[in-house]
DNA sequence: CAATTTTCATTTGTCAGACAATTAAACGTC
DNA sequence: GACGTTTAATTGTCTGACAAATGAAAATTG
């Protein structure tokens, strides 16, 4: 862990890497206290600001938490799924917005992953998940809803569907795919007619999940995927027509 | 972006958040140069070390890159899929190791997601992906292979399968799920007999992908998932027997 | 004039030392 | 023993400084 080549640049990155590796390989167990900043500075033979920059890098990844005071210091953080969700969503969102990912590609990925969850959700869904899905579908029927609120409710519906699979790893992976789509979805203006169709498909999905009918759920999801793609195509075509 | 409450703690976190939000909402486009550290310090009315800590947080998430010299500075980084892979894998690995995720749960998630890719891979696979899959399956048949090398080849095989879907979003999401499993997989000692079975299933998958037969690919993947779970159960049972 | 070298200003990377804020433990006091 | 006080440790922040890199401008040279 005390590896530090004579390269006097990126010292804070090197130190962060050394500590990160120690955490990943298990040398530093969860809740273990790191040496104080002054001690680390001495160990690595650098100044305290440099150590602090390294620690801030780790804090940005939720690998450590810091506490002030006499018994304070930096502690190895138990990375929780909730913490990871946020990073996952931020990263996914930026990946989509910065890499010219087409709506079609993102949409395909999202629904492919969601359909992977559906059979498990059909088997394991609880009353709680079902209630959330029903409530969101109901909300989506309210006439006064803005497009943004409609999309947010859509995300909540699909989150519940994914969470119903009862597999935290799946929920974590899907969080990025589903939530990162929201900005793209917000660019679509939903007509009353299209909302009606979507809510009807959501209801079909909820029905299938309630009946624990995996293949029916898959069918409805596939139909929803297809319809969403079609909606997006129409909107894009309409905008191009307007432009000319 | 100049929001900064009078709370004189976590200044660097607040500044990092302000800049991060500006990047996410598009106020700071890709390759835009941030003000110099001295200018930022003045803008936010903090010292330069505090600004630097904030920038290091952003650098840890690959949101910015820095360059020394006259025309240097911090630039908004185009987040590339390759950059995101690493973070995704690190985070997923830690999530699994720190949260008492059972092998069964992780394995279920991995194969569920992979089966979501398979139909797309069957449709779109290129000769390149097929060649990689064949090569890895062949390597897995070599007798001298260590368990670690076998697992690494397994990961490479499945990466090729996922990449064959031709959807970078799917590849990104799956990278975490597949690679994070490797440490867990490494804990399983593969007998010659179990390796033979796995390679046979890999060959079946490659055959199905080559024939563009989605349902055959799905069947083989399902069989592989089941067999992997069984192997893990056996190893766990054996270790418990040894302990008593 | 063109090409090359030198100088220089800008910016990040690092360091040293200091003080403020926080916190829990040690210490007195009643 | 209960309760307030002091104290030491630690992080958070600031100031000022110098080193290293780097591109642009200026000077030099052919």
């Amino acid at each position: 862990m005390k590896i530090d080549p004579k390269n006097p640049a990126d010292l804070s990155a090197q130190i962060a890497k050394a500590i990160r590796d120690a955490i990943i390989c298990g040398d530093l167990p969860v809740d273990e206290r790191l040496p104080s900043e002054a001690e680390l500075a001495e160990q690595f033979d650098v100044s305290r600001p440099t150590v602090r920059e390294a620690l801030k890098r780790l804090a940005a990844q939720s690998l450590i938490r810091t506490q002030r005071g006499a018994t304070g210091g930096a502690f190895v953080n138990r990375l929780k799924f909730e913490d990871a969700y946020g990073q996952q969503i931020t990263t996914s969102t930026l990946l989509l917005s910065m890499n010219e990912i087409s709506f079609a590609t993102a949409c395909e990925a999202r629904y492919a992953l969601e359909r992977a969850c559906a059979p498990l959700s059909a088997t394991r869904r609880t009353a709680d998940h079902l209630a959330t899905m029903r409530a969101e579908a109901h909300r989506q029927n309210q006439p006064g809803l803005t497009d943004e609120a409609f999309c947010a409710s859509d995300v909540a519906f699909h989150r519940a569907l994914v969470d119903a699979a009862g597999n935290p790893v799946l929920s974590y992976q899907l969080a990025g795919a589903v939530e990162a789509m929201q900005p793209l979805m917000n660019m679509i203006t939903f007509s009353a007619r299209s909302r009606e169709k979507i809510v009807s498909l959501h209801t079909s999905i909820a029905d299938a999940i309630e009946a624990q009918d995996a293949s029916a759920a898959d069918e409805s999801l596939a139909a929803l995927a297809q319809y969403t793609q079609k909606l997006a195509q129409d909107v894009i075509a309409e905008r191009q027509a307007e432009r000319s």
Side-chain angles (χ1 to χ4, degrees), chain A:
Chain A
M1 165 144 160
K2 286 157 194 168
I3 14 170
D4 230 4
K6 300 298 183 299
N7 183 9
D10 291 328
L11 284 179
S12 73
Q14 290 175 38
I15 293 169
K17 182 177 187 324
I19 299 176
R20 187 184 303 115
D21 289 347
I23 294 175
I24 290 174
C25 82
D27 285 352
L28 293 172
V30 167
D31 291 335
E32 176 90 348
R33 183 180 174 282
L34 299 183
S36 73
E37 294 175 355
E39 285 171 321
L40 285 172
E42 198 178 356
Q43 276 185 33
F44 287 109
D45 198 26
V46 296
S47 68
R48 223 189 111 204
T50 302
V51 167
R52 282 183 62 79
E53 288 178 10
L55 294 180
K56 294 313 170 195
R57 288 175 189 265
L58 299 176
Q61 298 176 299
S62 305
L63 293 185
I64 61 169
R65 62 179 184 279
T66 54
Q67 203 178 356
R68 286 214 272 195
T71 59
F75 298 83
V76 177
N77 199 30
R78 157 161 281 124
L79 190 57
K80 294 182 194 118
F81 280 94
E82 308 106 66
D83 298 334
Y85 282 156
Q87 292 177 33
Q88 166 81 339
I89 290 166
T90 301
T91 304
S92 297
T93 304
L94 285 170
L95 274 175
L96 292 191
S97 68
M98 286 180 172
N99 287 280
E100 300 172 4
I101 296 295
S102 70
F103 186 89
T105 301
C107 200
E108 173 181 280
R110 173 192 159 164
Y111 280 107
L113 297 175
E114 231 174 295
R115 286 172 70 182
C117 287
L120 295 169
S121 299
T123 307
R124 302 196 192 136
R125 92 286 185 283
T126 66
D128 212 31
H129 296 126
L130 258 177
T132 302
M133 292 170 69
R134 298 287 189 197
E136 296 298 340
H138 184 258
R139 175 178 303 161
Q140 290 155 23
N141 251 335
Q142 313 258 324
L145 222 58
T146 62
D147 281 342
E148 283 72 19
F150 184 82
C151 286
S153 172
D154 184 74
V155 167
F157 177 91
H158 288 278
R159 280 291 293 265
L161 173 61
V162 169
D163 288 342
N167 185 316
V169 181
L170 271 181
S171 292
Y172 162 69
Q173 297 283 353
L174 269 286
V178 173
E179 303 246 359
M181 285 287 297
Q182 194 169 7
L184 292 176
M185 294 288 285
N186 276 340
M187 290 164 49
I188 299 178
T189 305
F190 295 95
S191 67
R193 200 179 161 75
S194 64
R195 283 195 188 180
E196 199 182 325
K197 170 90 173 170
I198 289 173
V199 174
S200 141
L201 284 168
H202 281 174
T203 306
S204 300
I205 292 169
D207 289 344
I209 296 293
E210 182 163 17
Q212 306 196 304
D213 184 341
S215 63
D218 187 65
E219 258 176 56
S220 301
L221 261 176
L224 182 57
Q226 204 178 350
Y227 185 67
T228 307
Q229 294 271 20
K230 184 181 166 302
L231 264 185
Q233 278 170 11
D234 290 350
V235 169
I236 290 168
E238 197 172 316
R239 288 203 188 137
Q240 282 189 334
E242 269 175 25
R243 202 180 302 161
S244 60

